[in-house]
């Protein structure tokens, strides 16, 4: 009972006598940070203290060996160097880091009881250059191909992403852990190629904390069968009798077709047609040449063709000048034009659907509308009649009268003097006469 009371009293006395020491132990905070460093580079380990009371700071390695005690280095490893030492910090650098340096380092503060903080050093090892391997070096249009990309000997394991042009492909990764604690990652991708993929890059992008923008690239080489297109050189409009025809056949493929062939579908080729390479020439066309002309090209992957439908129209005719009729009235002459009723006009048939059709040209003359011409003549005649009516009313309104100043009795007089004398007052008895001016 006495011993218990003595222990309690001693504890109370300690709390009252040493309150400052207890406060210092509680208030001192020792902190540090984890470090990730690429193999071969330098790691920085920092032990920091808040409100230090001159307690000793030391740094220990994962084997609990003292690296630094205050500013002294007991460990004989010159790769450890003192960067900063103060009451509140002990900062040490470790150069040329290797995988063996990885582990938990201890920051220790000599207090009662001692405080410790831990800094984990992680060594990053970048993978080797990624390598792309293709199942087929030369691909054919429509076939499926397979590619693999490998990122070897990395820590931690890398991730791989695939891109074909600007489109992402979904790969299947496989991760392997080697005997030296390294990781090898292999990703496999499969896809079907088209002719548009020729020359497109396929890129393997490796993502790892130790490297940025680490990638490998391979360009696709895709073979495809020819693409054939017939171009019309002449004429640009309708194809008429007596004219010439010029066609050019364009063929593109991989491998490139060495030659093209012309033929007429279901009929004999015109005897005087001329073929020079991919060009077809036919002079002095007539309707017997109507039909479908085909251009064909081939390479080891296949054969393709394009068709041109020829339809020859009648030769254009010259429309004769219209006859002129003169209609004469008392005061008006009317000119009218009458078109030749025998003037021929071309009739354009409807075009049949085809890849190329000579009937689809522009510039065909449309039929003359006789109703329009008749309407114009009628308007002109009506306008002339209206003009005659207006002029007649105008002249009727502007008729005049005047008086003659001949003396009465002049007919009975023997001479002029006698007529004047017999006039009896001059003009007072003169006769009124009327005269119209037109």
């Amino acid at each position: 009972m006495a011993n218990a009371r003595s222990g309690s009293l001693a504890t109370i006395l300690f709390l009252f006598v040493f309150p400052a020491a207890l406060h210092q132990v509680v208030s001192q905070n020792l902190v540090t940070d984890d470090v990730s460093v690429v193999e071969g580079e330098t790691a920085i380990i920092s032990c920091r203290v808040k409100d230090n009371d001159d307690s000793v700071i030391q740094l220990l390695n994962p084997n609990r060996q003292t690296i630094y005690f205050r500013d002294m280095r007991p460990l004989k490893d010159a790769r450890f160097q003192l960067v900063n030492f103060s009451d509140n910090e002990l900062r040490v650098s470790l150069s040329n880091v290797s995988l063996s340096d990885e582990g938990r380092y201890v920051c220790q503060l000599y207090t009662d009881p001692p405080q410790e903080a831990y800094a984990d050093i992680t060594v990053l090892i970048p993978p080797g250059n990624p390598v792309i391997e293709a199942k087929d070096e030369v691909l054919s249009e429509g076939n499926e191909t397979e590619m693999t990309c490998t990122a070897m000997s990395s820590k931690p394991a890398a991730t791989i992403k695939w891109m074909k042009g600007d489109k992402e492909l979904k790969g299947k990764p496989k991760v392997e852990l080697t005997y030296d604690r390294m990781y090898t990652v292999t990703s496999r991708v499969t896809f079907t190629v088209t002719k548009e993929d020729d020359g497109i890059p396929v890129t393997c992008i490796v993502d790892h904390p130790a490297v940025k923008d680490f990638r490998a690239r391979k360009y696709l080489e895709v073979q495809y069968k020819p693409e054939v297109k017939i171009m019309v050189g002449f004429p640009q409009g309708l194809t008429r009798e007596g004219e010439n025809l010029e066609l050019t056949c364009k063929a593109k493929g991989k491998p490139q077709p060495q030659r093209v062939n012309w033929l007429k579908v279901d009929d004999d080729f015109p005897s005087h047609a001329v073929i020079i390479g991919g060009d077809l020439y036919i002079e002095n066309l007539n309707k017997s040449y109507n039909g479908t002309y085909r251009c064909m090209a081939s390479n080891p992957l296949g054969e393709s063709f394009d068709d041109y439908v020829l339809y020859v129209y009648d030769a254009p005719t010259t429309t004769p000048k219209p006859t002129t009729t003169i209609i004469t009235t008392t005061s008006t002459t009317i000119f009218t034009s009458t078109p030749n009723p025998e003037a021929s006009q071309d009739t354009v048939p409807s075009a049949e659907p085809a890849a190329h059709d000579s009937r689809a040209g522009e510039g065909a003359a449309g039929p003359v509308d006789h109703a329009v011409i008749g309407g114009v003549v009628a308007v002109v005649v009506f306008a002339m009649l209206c003009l005659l009516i207006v002029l007649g009313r105008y002249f009727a309104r502007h008729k005049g009268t005047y008086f003659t100043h001949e003396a009465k009795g002049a007919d009975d007089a023997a001479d002029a003097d006698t007529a004047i004398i017999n006039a009896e007052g001059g003009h007072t008895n003169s006769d009124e006469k009327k005269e119209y001016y037109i």
Side-chain angles (χ1 to χ4, degrees), residues 92-147:
V92 178
S93 67
L94 172 59
S95 61
N96 194 20
V97 176
S98 65
L99 189 60
S100 61
D101 296 321
E102 191 174 65
R104 172 165 289 186
Y105 289 74
V106 181
C107 292
Q108 194 174 73
L109 182 65
Y110 275 93
T111 58
D112 187 16
Q115 296 185 47
E116 290 185 353
Y118 307 100
D120 291 325
I121 291 184
T122 302
V123 179
L124 306 177
I125 301 177
N129 292 330
V131 178
I132 293 180
E133 295 181 353
K135 180 180 179 181
D136 305 299
E137 291 298 326
V138 180
L139 307 170
S140 297
E141 177 186 10
N143 289 351
E144 186 178 75
T145 188
E146 179 180 285
M147 290 187 177

Side-chain angles (χ1 to χ4, degrees), residues 35 42-47 58-59 67-70 72-73 77 79-85 89-95 121:
V35 179
T42 300
I44 303 295
I45 307 171
S46 176
C47 302
Q58 68 173 352
L59 177 64
I67 301 173
Y68 266 91
F69 183 83
R70 297 179 65 88
M72 295 179 294
R73 178 167 55 85
D77 189 342
R79 295 183 304 147
F80 290 97
Q81 295 293 325
L82 184 64
V83 177
N84 180 51
F85 173 73
E89 184 184 33
L90 172 62
R91 190 189 309 168
V92 178
S93 67
L94 172 59
S95 61
I121 291 184

